[in-house]
């Protein structure tokens, strides 16, 4: 996308995930799956995923697959295979429950032997007892300010909506060439072989247009997903990203300027061999977090710790109040409409 | 080349009737990287070999009712697969899997440029076949790179394919008397130009990453 086209953007929608609150319950993943990716050809598509870090993620080892830009030059990317995505398993529940084989029949996929999946290395993490560590990392399309997927398409089938910066695709123009998938360094674009098109998170734009927050955000039971316009100075996104600088992009070195940001995880202290608390280093190595969130992660963690100390000392913190989200609706940057209250149009085919 | 008036089962790529038709070999080369519309493709394919198929065997015929174009080439994709495998059972659902494919391009008028796949006011008509279940046969129009779109229906285009060892054999066919007289004008005594492209699926060739013929080939239909 040219600078001129970027300048046409009126606003940019963004999200902040507070990783200190993520419990890895996958409710966001399932909320998205149920809403968007249930059709044939979308079996292995999970537009929202939550992976345990450190880990190999989904698709497997996606951080080693290239894509993005370095110094303004596109980096060749790898097109993930079905095996690297994994998942899409089908189960013969009739055979399991009614096949008459009792406990001799076990729950197993009917289509092959799984070797990887969208959450394969859950809770493995890293480190040795008693200093093992892990945290959860939810991921969706980053709706990047420099969307290399858009540039990579030889047909101009993808674009950023000028009103909100959501990256969308004209499926009538898409011919399934998948240069977008190759170019995306986050590997958050999927291929639908039935329709021969690429597909990815659309920031729940039909909901956004009705004032409803995206499903992953609204369904999150931990109140950790903030939604809003990056330039809304009164909203939580702007304050967390630009004012308090505690929300950081994932892999900023990929060069795409993501619009999904993360409050990095604090961690407990390490335990010394004698069982005493070792305050010299956090359980999660800062070097590891820097690899994920860049060089500003130390400052963000220091800011979080300072605010927490301030409150423990009897003070107050607007930043912590924001992150706690006492009011559920405060997460959603004005997109607070209850989808159950919307008047739904009848399907054109009468719902048949 | 001439499309002779022949009889026989010309719609069948394996039919003996094709032995009567002259054979033309068209040399193919890699489509220029500089013509790829995206910086990404120009950058990411700079060090990758593509346009693996270099020779396309071509025959053309008509039987007074339909025009037939038979294309045959040795596919590196098929060479890489198990020779015993049913050529039409290979799964192409994987996100990294692309089909072997062939296309023939006709200019709508003398101004249509081969390099740019036509331009405004001078579209090109493209017939494309791709392996798969089901295989794909498309009748397309383009007015420049990146503008491929379905042609208006009605040309009656079809294709039949077969395989022999590593070689694909594809016959495109179309009624001579086309209702809407869609270019190319394929009638006894008429002539047109043709150009060709081949994509090797196993090498992830698609879009402008392909082998193509750099020059138009003359085609005349026998009266």
């Amino acid at each position: 996308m040219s600078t001129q086209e970027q300048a046409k953007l009126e606003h940019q929608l963004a999200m902040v995930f507070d990783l200190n609150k993520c419990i890895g319950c996958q409710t966001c993943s399932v909320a998205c799956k149920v809403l968007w990716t249930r059709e044939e050809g979308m079996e292995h598509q999970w537009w929202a995923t939550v992976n345990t870090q450190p880990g190999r993620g989904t698709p497997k080892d996606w951080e080693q697959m290239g894509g993005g830009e370095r110094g303004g030059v596109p980096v060749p990317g790898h097109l993930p295979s079905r095996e690297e995505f994994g998942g899409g398993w089908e189960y013969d529940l009739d055979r399991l429950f009614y096949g008459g084989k009792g406990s001799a029949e076990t729950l197993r996929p009917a289509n092959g032997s799984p070797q990887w999946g969208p959450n394969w290395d859950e809770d493995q993490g890293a480190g040795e007892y008693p200093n093992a560590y892990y945290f959860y990392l939810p991921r969706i399309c980053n709706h990047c300010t420099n969307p290399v997927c858009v540039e990579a398409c030889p047909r101009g089938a993808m674009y950023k909506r000028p009103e909100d910066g959501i990256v969308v695709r004209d499926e009538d123009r898409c011919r399934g060439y998948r240069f977008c998938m190759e170019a995306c360094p986050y590997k958050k674009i999927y291929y639908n072989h039935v329709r021969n098109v690429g597909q990815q998170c659309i920031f729940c734009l039909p909901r956004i247009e009705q004032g409803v927050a995206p499903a992953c955000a609204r369904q999150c039971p931990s109140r950790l997903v903030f939604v809003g316009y990056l330039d809304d100075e009164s909203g939580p996104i702007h304050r967390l990203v630009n004012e308090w600088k505690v929300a950081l992009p994932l892999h900023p070195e990929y060069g795409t300027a993501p619009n999904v940001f993360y409050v990095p995880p604090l961690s407990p202290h390490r335990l010394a061999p004698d069982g005493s608390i070792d305050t010299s280093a956090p359980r999660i190595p800062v070097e590891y977090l820097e690899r994920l969130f860049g060089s500003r992660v130390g400052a963000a963690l220091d800011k979080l710790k300072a605010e927490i100390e301030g409150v423990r000392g009897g003070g107050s913190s607007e930043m912590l109040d924001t992150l706690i989200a006492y009011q559920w609706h405060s997460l959603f940057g004005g997109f607070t409409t209850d989808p159950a209250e919307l008047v739904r149009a009848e399907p054109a085919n009468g719902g048949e | 080349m001439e499309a002779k008036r022949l009889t026989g089962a010309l719609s069948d790529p394996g039919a003996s009737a094709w032995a009567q038709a002259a054979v033309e070999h068209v040399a193919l080369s890699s489509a220029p990287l500089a013509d790829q519309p995206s910086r990404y493709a120009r950058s990411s394919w700079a060090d990758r070999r593509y346009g693996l198929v270099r020779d396309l065997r071509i025959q053309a015929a008509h039987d007074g009712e339909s025009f037939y174009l038979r294309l045959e080439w040795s596919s590196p994709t098929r060479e890489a697969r198990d020779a015993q495998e049913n050529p039409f059972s290979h799964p192409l659902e994987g996100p990294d899997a692309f089909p072997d494919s062939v296309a023939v391009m006709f200019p709508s008028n003398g101004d249509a440029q081969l390099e740019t796949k036509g331009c405004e006011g001078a579209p090109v008509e493209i017939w494309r076949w791709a392996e798969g279940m089901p295989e794909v046969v498309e009748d397309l129009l383009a007015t420049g790179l990146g503008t491929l779109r379905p042609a208006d229906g009605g040309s009656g285009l079809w294709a039949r394919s077969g395989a022999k060892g590593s070689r694909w054999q594809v016959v495109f066919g179309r009624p001579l008397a086309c209702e809407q007289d869609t270019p190319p004008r394929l009638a006894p005594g008429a002539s047109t130009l043709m150009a060709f492209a081949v994509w090797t699926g196993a090498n992830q060739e698609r879009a402008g990453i392909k082998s193509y013929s750099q020059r138009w080939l003359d085609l005349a239909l026998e009266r």
Side-chain angles (χ1 to χ4, degrees), chain B residues 169-189:
Chain B
Q169 302 168 336
V170 178
V171 171
F172 284 106
R174 207 200 77 172
L176 286 175
C178 180
E179 282 172 24
Q180 298 174 359
D181 203 22
T182 311
R185 204 173 153 266
L186 295 167

Side-chain angles (χ1 to χ4, degrees), chain A residues 171-240:
Chain A
E171 288 193 3
D172 291 335
R173 285 198 64 75
C174 178
R175 283 181 59 84
Y177 292 150
R178 289 162 265 172
F179 292 107
C180 54
M181 281 180 77
E182 260 185 50
C184 173
Y186 298 95
K187 294 293 170 264
K188 267 294 168 191
I189 300 179
Y190 299 82
Y191 176 59
N192 182 327
H193 67 89
V194 174
R195 295 170 66 179
N196 189 32
V197 292
Q199 295 179 312
Q200 86 285 345
C201 156
I202 53 170
F203 212 92
C204 282
L205 81 87
R207 290 166 65 106
I208 286 289
E209 289 177 345
Q210 299 284 327
V212 181
C216 57
R218 197 176 161 93
Q219 296 297 316
C220 174
S222 294
R223 297 193 183 186
L224 67 91
V225 190
F226 295 82
V227 179
Y229 291 110
L230 198 50
D231 61 347
D232 174 6
E233 295 193 358
S234 64
I237 300 273
H238 174 82
R239 304 198 75 186
L240 291 166

